[in-house]
Amino acid sequence: MSTELETSELTFRDAEAVLDRAQKLMSAGDISEVMNTFAADVVVRFADFPETHGKPLLEKFLLARFERQKNYRLQKQLRAVSGNVIVCYWEGGWDDGQDGRQMQGRGIELLTMRGGEIAKWEATFNVWQKGSAPSLPIV
């Protein structure tokens, strides 16, 4: 990655590199390397989970996710870059760690970068069983 990750302005190429690395590490379930992508004081706003601050709480959250999301397959698509903020769309599939059901999910992420690390991770997340009908209670 270029040295621009050390400043407040990211290039499209920088953002793609961040997403490619995250996609590979999350799909591999490599918790220690995933944790190396985050700042020590990271702020996480993930779906309807309570906001957390710092790596210890993030690691606890990710370990629980990796237990539940077996054989995780992730695809991230860069949508925009503005200053030090990356916006991406993602889709994932996994086997549920409790009952083996095939699951799917999708969402939008905003990653605020600082010094080459993710300082804020904000994400929406929708999930459903593969092949099932929509379940969002708005229609």
Side-chain angles (χ1 to χ4, degrees), residues 1 7-8 24 34-36 42 48 54 61 67 88 90 107 113 116:
M1 284 183 263
T7 67
S8 63
K24 287 176 182 171
V34 168
M35 293 307 300
N36 286 335
V42 63
D48 61 346
F61 170 73
E67 280 299 311
C88 78
W90 63 269
M113 304 299 293

Side-chain angles (χ1 to χ4, degrees), residues 20-117:
D20 183 57
R21 181 173 185 223
Q23 178 177 288
K24 287 176 182 171
L25 295 176
M26 290 294 290
S27 291
D30 189 340
I31 188 68
S32 51
E33 284 301 314
V34 168
M35 293 307 300
N36 286 335
T37 66
F38 291 94
D41 61 345
V42 63
V43 174
V44 179
R45 295 180 184 138
F46 192 95
D48 61 346
F49 290 93
E51 180 176 304
T52 63
H53 297 258
K55 277 186 167 181
L57 290 174
L58 172 59
E59 185 171 29
K60 182 179 178 183
F61 170 73
L62 289 175
L63 285 169
R65 269 190 68 187
F66 287 156
E67 280 299 311
R68 191 72 191 262
Q69 294 179 299
K70 301 296 185 185
N71 304 313
Y72 193 52
R73 300 161 307 279
L74 177 64
Q75 293 291 316
K76 292 180 179 269
Q77 299 173 358
L78 180 61
R79 292 295 194 227
V81 181
S82 180
N84 67 332
V85 178
I86 299 168
V87 181
C88 78
Y89 169 84
W90 63 269
E91 291 187 4
W94 63 94
D95 303 324
D96 187 280
Q98 292 182 345
D99 59 21
R101 290 179 300 158
Q102 291 186 343
M103 304 297 291
Q104 292 179 284
R106 72 170 64 117
I108 301 290
E109 292 178 316
L110 293 102
L111 304 174
T112 303
M113 304 299 293
R114 183 180 67 230
E117 297 176 321

